[in-house]
Amino acid sequence: MKNKKQILADKLAQSQLGGGQERIDKQHAKGKLTARERVHFLLDEGSFEEMGALVTHRTKDFGMEKQIFYGDGVITGYGTINGRQVCVFAQDFTVFGGALSETHAEKICKIMDMAIKIGVPVIGLNDSGGARIQEGVRSLGGYADIFHRNVMASGVIPQISAIMGPCAGGAVYSPAMTDFTLMVENSSYMFVTGPNVVKTVTNETVTSEELGGALAHATKSGVTHVTATNDIQCINQIKKMIDYMPQNCEDSPVAIPYTLTDEIRENLETIVPENASQPYDMRHVINGIIDADSFFEIHAAYAENIVVGFARLAGRSIGVVANQPMVLAGVLDVDSSKKAARFTRFCDCFNIPLLVLVDVPGFLPGTDQEWNGIITNGAKLLYALSEATVPKVTVITRKAYGGAYDVMNSKHIGADLNYAWPAAEIAVMGAKGASEIIFRKEISTADDPAAKLAEKEAAYAAKFANPYSAAERGFIDAVILPKDTRKILIKGFAMLQNKVVNLPKKKHGNIPL
């Protein structure tokens, strides 16, 4: 028996070393943690229970039978983050460059199946050179098995992907189907085809970092939601992000104990400028409303004319969607619509109430927007907010013009509570543009067209550039003082806590993708 115990101890010791100390040292030399170190820092101390530590590949071609590593390049198991159960897999670059084999994929599928079965988040730490080419179609089949499980888990349990090294070819589609993707700057990249193929096909010369690095995907494509400067920061961001989420779609986010005190916020009175054309930072409004230091922004560097992220209000998790007047005056365009729609659908999947802050002059005009599908992309946000059944509360801080008023969680598409600040303007368009259309003949025939335009603009503004016309029709539930916003929202979300919506029976809707 003693000998048998020693055999087990030896095998487990080998599995702990992955591809060996020399390759571990190389990983450290690149400024990267090993897969085991990442799992260690991600999970609560002593909580990790590994599954499949002694799995090996089955390939006998190309001399592979002589290269056997326990675990086969991926660490899988379960543990806790801040006391909450999660399932995790971490690809080990020290074993065949983290390349995915049939058994490697089977391990990932097994832990994903477990996560779905017990209803807990699944976190993938990706660091892989791609498919293990020695296995041919078997490795491709392994990818497809993972993709299928990503789809089955979607909307059932939260799925988070951290790209902590290379992720190329078919490997990119699994993270793309998860809820949130994080990347580490200067040590991770994602692309379907690499720089060499790009050079051959399009004659473009580009580096891996330029083509698919963290900053490229954070600013240009929107593929990554959060970036980090190193592995530890990336792991800490995952731990922080998951605190805002429930375990699964049947659960509610965990609330932090909070004692209500004086919830008046005087600083909100002075954030929005008197001049309707002057920009201001909507993040100041967000931070004035929510619990201190609780905002966790998503997609911070992408489509910056809209701000989305998680926050807490009186200890409860909420999702925030807000126009950003600092960028493009807060207009809706193709990218901002997709960004907000995606975040809205996640919150709706996982019972996270939505707060929508509105200061929107309309949709961005131009051939570029029209030819890139502003119609269908704008409709994605309209669809997402219309479809969402979680508590939905809107505050119009300044402008709400045209179709963008409808799209930004108006009463007409199912918002539960709609508020406006006293200076809010709710109209088809701005007073100047409206006056130029309505009073075109009077202005053109006037002795002083500029004075006549100013007169008509002032008259139109007095009648429509305020929240009271909408309030008279019940489209706005109350006009509130900025300083009272937090207090009123806390009461509103508490009232909506047990909201129930009965939807028409259907398989699923057909969002304008």
Side-chain angles (χ1 to χ4, degrees):
M1 186 63 182
K2 184 177 180 180
N3 185 48
K4 291 179 180 179
K5 288 181 179 179
Q6 187 59 49
I7 291 171
L8 172 61
D10 291 344
K11 288 180 181 292
L12 291 176
Q14 287 182 54
S15 74
Q16 292 286 317
L17 276 176
Q21 190 59 49
E22 183 180 342
R23 292 176 183 173
I24 290 173
D25 292 341
K26 287 181 179 178
Q27 185 85 340
H28 288 161
K30 296 175 185 175
K32 297 163 64 178
L33 299 174
T34 65
R36 288 199 178 276
E37 288 167 341
R38 289 166 179 164
V39 171
H40 169 76
F41 286 115
L42 176 67
L43 301 179
D44 296 340
E45 187 71 35
S47 71
F48 181 55
E49 290 295 331
E50 188 170 357
M51 297 171 64
L54 302 181
V55 167
T56 60
H57 69 73
R58 309 181 188 113
T59 307
K60 293 182 169 42
D61 300 315
F62 309 107
M64 288 293 287
E65 70 277 5
K66 298 174 185 174
Q67 301 182 66
I68 301 295
F69 297 92
Y70 289 117
D72 200 31
V74 64
I75 297 162
T76 59
Y78 59 92
T80 60
I81 295 177
N82 297 328
R84 293 176 53 194
Q85 193 77 58
V86 297
C87 288
V88 63
F89 67 86
Q91 293 179 310
D92 187 350
F93 197 79
T94 70
V95 178
F96 300 119
L100 185 132
S101 68
E102 181 182 19
T103 49
H104 181 127
E106 286 174 357
K107 288 182 65 177
I108 294 175
C109 289
K110 183 185 287 186
I111 203 65
M112 291 179 74
D113 289 340
M114 180 66 75
I116 296 170
K117 191 185 302 182
I118 64 176
V120 302
V122 63
I123 300 166
L125 309 179
N126 296 264
D127 189 359
S128 168
R132 199 172 298 176
I133 56 176
Q134 294 92 336
E135 294 200 7
V137 73
R138 284 176 292 157
S139 63
L140 298 181
Y143 274 128
D145 290 336
I146 295 169
F147 301 158
H148 182 66
R149 281 164 175 80
N150 287 134
V151 175
M152 292 301 101
S154 183
V156 179
I157 54 173
Q159 301 179 80
I160 298 175
S161 299
I163 313 302
M164 308 182 84
C167 185
V172 299
Y173 290 111
S174 175
M177 287 190 287
T178 60
D179 297 306
F180 295 104
T181 301
L182 299 89
M183 292 184 74
V184 180
E185 295 168 13
N186 301 314
S187 67
S188 68
Y189 55 80
M190 296 176 76
F191 39 64
V192 175
T193 53
N196 292 337
V197 176
V198 170
K199 174 68 174 175
T200 301
V201 175
T202 70
N203 204 33
E204 293 175 275
T205 301
V206 65
T207 66
S208 293
E209 187 66 27
E210 291 168 338
L211 181 63
L215 294 181
H217 284 310
T219 59
K220 291 181 171 65
S221 71
V223 167
T224 188
H225 299 84
V226 178
T227 63
T229 55
N230 55 52
D231 284 10
I232 289 292
Q233 187 187 26
C234 181
I235 288 165
N236 287 337
Q237 286 172 326
I238 295 172
K239 295 166 80 167
K240 186 175 180 181
M241 181 189 292
I242 210 160
D243 274 347
Y244 294 97
M245 304 174 189
Q247 292 293 85
N248 54 64
C249 64
E250 302 293 331
D251 199 3
S252 295
V254 176
I256 293 174
Y258 183 87
T259 302
L260 289 175
T261 54
D262 178 15
E263 305 301 336
I264 302 298
R265 295 291 182 265
E266 293 287 351
N267 62 313
L268 289 173
E269 294 286 334
T270 57
I271 293 174
V272 178
E274 290 286 336
N275 184 344
S277 299
Q278 187 176 335
Y280 63 95
D281 192 343
M282 186 61 87
R283 291 186 186 89
H284 294 160
V285 176
I286 294 169
N287 288 323
I289 292 172
I290 63 174
D291 298 354
D293 302 319
S294 70
F295 189 49
F296 187 93
E297 189 168 355
I298 301 295
H299 264 151
Y302 175 70
E304 294 176 86
N305 43 321
I306 205 158
V307 176
V308 303
F310 299 108
R312 291 194 179 275
L313 189 67
R316 296 187 178 277
S317 180
I318 61 170
V320 179
V321 176
N323 304 115
Q324 174 56 294
M326 290 288 287
V327 181
L328 295 173
V331 296
L332 289 174
D333 60 3
V334 168
D335 291 341
S336 63
S337 297
K338 290 189 294 185
K339 168 180 168 178
R342 170 77 174 175
F343 182 74
T344 294
R345 284 171 69 82
F346 175 83
C347 291
D348 190 46
C349 284
F350 295 105
N351 309 313
I352 301 172
L354 283 162
L355 170 61
V356 181
L357 301 175
V358 182
D359 187 348
V360 62
F363 283 91
L364 184 63
T367 55
D368 178 68
Q369 288 294 303
E370 294 295 350
W371 295 344
N372 281 287
I374 185 59
I375 295 171
T376 51
N377 285 291
K380 288 174 186 173
L381 180 54
L382 174 60
Y383 191 106
L385 283 165
S386 297
E387 181 187 44
T389 59
V390 293
K392 297 182 293 185
V393 180
T394 298
V395 179
I396 300 172
T397 61
R398 187 163 65 176
K399 296 188 186 79
Y401 289 166
Y405 154 72
D406 289 328
V407 171
M408 289 299 295
N409 202 40
S410 63
K411 181 69 72 177
H412 320 279
I413 65 170
D416 299 298
L417 293 171
N418 294 70
Y419 301 110
W421 287 358
E425 301 176 9
I426 304 170
V428 175
M429 61 175 65
K432 185 174 186 293
S435 299
E436 288 173 339
I437 294 170
I438 298 171
F439 307 109
R440 182 187 295 116
K441 186 175 288 187
E442 287 184 55
I443 293 167
S444 63
T445 58
D447 293 334
D448 186 347
K452 178 60 71 171
L453 173 59
E455 175 194 327
K456 294 298 184 182
E457 185 180 339
Y460 183 91
K463 186 171 180 61
F464 292 109
N466 59 66
Y468 302 110
S469 180
E472 287 167 8
R473 286 160 178 78
F475 302 160
I476 296 296
D477 294 305
V479 178
I480 63 175
L481 295 176
K483 67 180 181 179
D484 294 332
T485 306
R486 173 177 167 85
K487 176 185 69 174
I488 289 169
L489 291 179
I490 289 172
K491 289 181 178 180
F493 278 116
M495 180 271 290
L496 292 166
Q497 190 174 343
N498 296 318
K499 174 187 173 183
V500 175
V501 176
N502 294 312
L503 298 174
K505 184 179 179 181
K506 57 183 170 181
K507 185 176 180 181
H508 58 72
N510 187 19
I511 188 170
L513 294 173

